[in-house]
Amino acid sequence: MRKPFQLRLLTSLFTLLLFCSFSGCSDSDGDGPDPIIQEEEEANDPEPIDPNRPWNLVWEEEFESDLSEWNIWESGAFNNEIQFYRPEQLVLENGILSINVQRERIIGPNNPFDSTDKEFEYVSGRIETKTTYGPSSATGETEYRFMASIKFPSGNGMWPAFWSYGDPWPTKGEIDIIEARGNLPMEFSSNIFYGVEEGIPITNNDNTVVEHELEVDITADFHTYELIWTSNSLEIIFDDESLHKYNANGLNFISSLFGQKQQIVLNTAVGGFFFPNQSSSTFVDTSQMQVDWVRVYSR
């Protein structure tokens, strides 16, 4: 039997209200998300990281009084180098650390892990921070910044460096912020090492060495060198200009360095594998590396 119009209209309205109560009708066209749910999801989204947020000073060295916060080497080293490191080559004067290099024959321990006597052709200096530094999610300091103001030594055979590493090498990694050759004063290189077994790196120089060509002579004056170290990148900066950013991949193992702590190192080596097929007779007799300050920041 056919229903009266008013009854049919009321029945239709009741059916529509019942449908809306189960299906979640809204004033929208039905193509977008529920605005209430969307607002809740946006409220739970993490705040974007401000790339310009301030850095916190962790440690600094102005070289005003002593080297009490550094380990001072007294031995040979590695890489077929021909220098013997000794404390006498380190001089503090007017807030400047000078690492003096000179040709001098001397007999001393082969390296810190081998006390066998060896004859060396040069004397030089090397210092390492007693404290280790590096980013970690455990501490909430997910980015670190190493900086130094340095005037590098000139002359063939000089191999100065500002770098960091952790023991046992290379399981904690090594980051060469700058390695220079005294006879090439308008360029330097950066590098990365990492390995899972002591003494055996699994990185390859072909994938990690980056050469930086400059427009200034880094042996003529002081310049600022820095590293910004994060969970997935290492950025090399010279006088506030970014020269190269290593992004983490399966060949450089940067992600494996995150959470490790490293000592900061300043030294000048002589000869070795950095000067292949060169006779020490072609090297300069004396040179000097100078450091004005070193700073470590985190954020």
Side-chain angles (χ1 to χ4, degrees):
M1 183 174 63
R2 187 174 182 180
K3 298 176 182 177
F5 173 74
Q6 293 88 346
L7 183 58
R8 285 188 286 115
L9 179 60
L10 289 172
T11 303
S12 298
L13 288 172
F14 177 76
T15 303
L16 178 62
L17 290 170
L18 190 63
F19 174 77
C20 284
S21 67
F22 284 98
S23 61
C25 292
S26 71
D27 292 334
S28 68
D29 58 9
D31 294 330
D34 187 299
I36 297 177
I37 296 175
Q38 187 175 18
E39 288 176 6
E40 290 178 351
E41 289 177 348
E42 290 176 352
N44 292 327
D45 285 344
E47 289 293 325
I49 296 175
D50 178 7
N52 299 313
R53 65 196 187 283
W55 289 94
N56 303 308
L57 181 64
V58 175
W59 175 79
E60 65 180 333
E61 173 64 87
E62 298 291 339
F63 298 112
E64 293 290 349
S65 56
D66 56 44
L67 295 173
S68 59
E69 297 190 55
W70 301 81
N71 292 319
I72 300 174
W73 270 39
E74 190 164 11
S75 77
F78 311 97
N79 306 308
N80 205 33
E81 301 156 12
I82 60 173
Q83 83 290 330
F84 181 80
Y85 293 124
R86 66 181 185 183
E88 295 93 318
Q89 306 310 120
L90 305 168
V91 177
L92 295 179
E93 187 175 7
N94 299 321
I96 300 292
L97 166 68
S98 294
I99 300 177
N100 298 314
V101 186
Q102 64 195 58
R103 190 187 296 268
E104 178 181 324
R105 291 196 174 274
I106 186 172
I107 295 175
N110 188 34
N111 62 59
F113 308 101
D114 180 3
S115 60
T116 305
D117 280 344
K118 177 182 175 180
E119 185 175 24
F120 299 88
E121 297 182 49
Y122 282 79
V123 288
S124 184
R126 169 169 168 163
I127 59 174
E128 305 177 346
T129 55
K130 293 179 178 179
T131 303
T132 56
Y133 305 97
S136 169
S137 57
T139 62
E141 299 172 315
T142 57
E143 298 183 24
Y144 258 72
R145 185 180 188 180
F146 298 165
M147 301 180 67
S149 176
I150 307 172
K151 179 181 178 182
F152 281 97
S154 62
N156 192 35
M158 298 299 104
W159 180 3
F162 166 43
W163 54 295
S164 62
Y165 80 102
D167 274 329
W169 185 90
T171 64
K172 305 295 183 181
E174 174 181 327
I175 304 171
D176 298 329
I177 303 168
I178 168 171
E179 292 184 291
R181 295 177 176 88
N183 59 316
L184 299 172
M186 298 180 71
E187 61 183 69
F188 68 86
S189 63
S190 303
N191 201 2
I192 307 166
F193 290 91
Y194 177 72
V196 295
E197 296 181 59
E198 183 174 351
I200 305 175
I202 56 178
T203 44
N204 187 308
N205 286 344
D206 292 338
N207 303 316
T208 54
V209 172
V210 175
E211 303 288 350
H212 310 285
E213 295 185 0
L214 309 171
E215 297 181 354
V216 295
D217 181 345
I218 60 175
T219 69
D221 206 347
F222 287 89
H223 294 276
T224 302
Y225 305 85
E226 64 182 286
L227 163 75
I228 294 181
W229 177 4
T230 75
S231 61
N232 55 16
S233 67
L234 300 173
E235 186 173 8
I236 306 298
I237 300 171
F238 172 75
D239 283 346
D240 298 321
E241 178 185 354
S242 178
L243 298 184
H244 180 76
K245 190 172 186 177
Y246 292 92
N247 291 307
N249 59 44
L251 299 176
N252 57 36
F253 299 92
I254 288 174
S255 59
S256 297
L257 302 184
F258 186 69
Q260 307 293 354
K261 301 290 184 180
Q262 299 186 359
Q263 298 168 280
I264 295 173
V265 186
L266 297 162
N267 72 288
T268 298
V270 181
F273 297 139
F274 216 45
F275 294 86
N277 306 316
Q278 291 198 38
S279 169
S280 60
S281 63
T282 66
F283 297 166
V284 295
D285 290 333
T286 63
S287 197
Q288 184 183 71
M289 173 178 176
Q290 292 187 304
V291 188
D292 190 2
W293 49 260
V294 180
R295 295 171 188 151
V296 177
Y297 297 87
S298 71
R299 66 181 183 184

